[in-house]
Every structure is written in C-alpha cells, then in structure tokens.
Amino acid sequence: GNSVTQMEGPVTLSEEAFLTINCTYTATGYPSLFWYVQYPGEGLQLLLKATKADDKGSNKGFEATYRKETTSFHLEKGSVQVSDSAVYFCALNRNYGGSQGNLIFGKGTKLSVKP
Amino acid sequence: DSGVTQTPKHLITATGQRVTLRCSPRSGDLSVYWYQQSLDQGLQFLIQYYNGEERAKGNILERFSAQQFPDLHSELNLSSLELGDSALYFCASSAGQGLDSPLHFGNGTRLTVT
C-alpha cells in the first residue's frame, strides 16, 4: 500500500545551519508529494508541493525535488532560522480522482533551531 | 490564521460517552476534511465532504460519523468512546477538490477520554 517514511527527530540545529529532512515514499501509480509544517499550537500549513517527477517545489527558502528513481522528496533549506522551529510532515496523494484531501502523512520530524 | 474554526479546543469525557466536534471552513470553501492525529498512528485521514456530500472515506471507525450542513459547516460525531480515541482531531477545508486547492487546517480539537 501507500506509505511515507521520514527521518525521526528531533532535529536540533544552530541558526544558519543547513537543513535536510529525508522523506521516502511507497506508492502505486503517480503520487503528488507535499511538505506541510505545523507550528506549536497551530494546524498544518502547506509548505510546498510537487505533482510530477523532477518537479521542484519551493517556498520560504525551503525546497524539495520529486525523485521518482529514488522515491524520495527530501526537504532542504540552506540557512535555518529560529522561526523555522516546527514539526514538518511529508505527505503523498495518489493522482486518483484529483482529491487532495486523502493525504497519507509521514510521522513528522520536529525541528528545533537554537540561536 | 487559516480561517478554519474548530470548537471546542479541548474536550475531556469518559469512556462510553458521545461527543460532537464542530468545524467552520474558510469562507467560500466547499470541501471539508477530518483528520485524527495520535502519537502512535500519526495523522490519519478520516473523511471528506464536498458541498454537503460525502466524497472520500479513510480510516474512520463505524463508531464515528460526520456530516456537512447546508451552510457548509461540518460536525464529527464520536460515540461509544474508548481510551484509544484520545487524540487531536483536525478539520481542514479547501475551495475545490483538486491538487490546485491547498488544504487549510484548523487548530484542532484535543479530545481526552478518561
């Protein structure tokens, strides 16, 4: 079946460090891939997405490339800030019927950035 | 602020009881989704409604039911509650159903079953 595996946290970095959060997936067909972010006490927010192989999603300095050959969608940011501290979720949706709602999420990776 | 409102924020109840969680979607959004977030299962999709009709079903237990009303707000009903139902329940909304309609999540209702 469809599943998402992301690296377990917590991840603790110093401000301006380079961030990578690994995400791999298993899916039939051609899924769309997403990264969502959850700040403390809030709901999830869409950070970026990619809908086909080799697409690069980017937003707020974060980026991720849809790699079909390695079934991966790793999240990267060149220089993290304290305000990036949050839980990051990788997710997929099969392109079946187009509904984005039936998202399959990874377990989440908590990122803490120290000044 | 996502524009999605969930009430109540916290709910504490006993096993065997029934509760109703309420969600008001963003103005103009026709789709409403319910998700359950627990420590052991992570985030799981429960059910989706679009303009009052059920459109997709995920891992929703038979003890749980939902509906979307004509004014587009939605309610999730949880009955015969068990300790394992303790979780954070999120509602999300989107304008349409396609991939170009991002989901906007509320801040969740934390349910504690004692």
Side-chain angles (χ1 to χ4, degrees):
Chain A
N2 300 324
S3 65
V4 174
T5 303
Q6 57 182 109
M7 60 187 287
E8 290 190 21
V11 174
T12 303
L13 296 173
S14 297
E15 206 164 23
E16 298 184 3
F18 184 85
L19 168 72
T20 300
I21 300 178
N22 290 337
C23 171
T24 57
Y25 67 90
T26 302
T28 55
Y30 304 97
S32 293
L33 302 172
F34 307 84
W35 277 100
Y36 276 80
V37 59
Q38 184 179 26
Y39 297 103
E42 298 183 11
L44 281 74
Q45 302 174 27
L46 177 64
L47 182 59
L48 53 85
K49 69 179 184 184
T51 57
K52 61 183 188 294
D54 299 325
D55 265 3
K56 177 185 281 189
S58 61
N59 186 25
K60 299 181 182 179
F62 291 88
E63 57 183 35
T65 301
Y66 187 165
R67 301 284 188 204
K68 190 177 176 186
E69 63 276 12
T70 54
T71 62
S72 65
F73 193 54
H74 305 322
L75 182 68
E76 296 182 336
K77 186 175 186 183
S79 176
V80 294
Q81 305 300 312
V82 172
S83 57
D84 294 326
S85 298
V87 181
Y88 292 81
F89 293 89
C90 185
L92 70 80
N93 178 37
R94 292 178 303 144
N95 279 323
Y96 181 75
S99 172
Q100 190 183 152
N102 195 356
L103 292 171
I104 297 170
F105 285 91
K107 295 276 188 180
T109 302
K110 183 174 182 180
L111 170 66
S112 295
V113 180
K114 308 296 183 187
Chain B
D1 182 8
S2 68
V4 178
T5 303
Q6 290 187 246
T7 56
K9 289 185 179 179
H10 302 278
L11 202 48
I12 301 174
T13 189
T15 54
Q17 295 299 304
R18 173 190 170 94
V19 296
T20 297
L21 312 184
R22 182 188 170 99
C23 170
S24 294
R26 282 193 331 155
S27 177
D29 282 359
L30 298 178
S31 280
V32 169
Y33 312 81
W34 287 97
Y35 282 83
Q36 179 193 60
Q37 185 179 36
S38 61
L39 283 175
D40 53 344
Q41 297 291 328
L43 262 168
Q44 291 205 74
F45 168 69
L46 296 178
I47 197 163
Q48 177 203 357
Y49 282 83
Y50 178 79
N51 204 19
E53 293 187 5
E54 181 185 306
R55 283 302 172 95
K57 222 169 185 176
N59 300 322
I60 188 165
L61 300 172
E62 285 190 10
R63 300 184 286 109
F64 297 0
S65 64
Q67 59 185 128
Q68 186 179 27
F69 295 86
D71 67 352
L72 301 177
H73 92 272
S74 178
E75 293 181 355
L76 179 66
N77 300 296
L78 315 176
S79 61
S80 303
L81 285 167
E82 302 176 359
L83 295 177
D85 298 328
S86 296
L88 197 50
Y89 291 84
F90 285 107
C91 170
S93 73
S94 68
Q97 297 188 87
L99 298 171
D100 290 331
S101 296
L103 267 63
H104 301 270
F105 282 78
N107 287 351
T109 293
R110 182 169 295 282
L111 173 66
T112 302
V113 182
T114 62

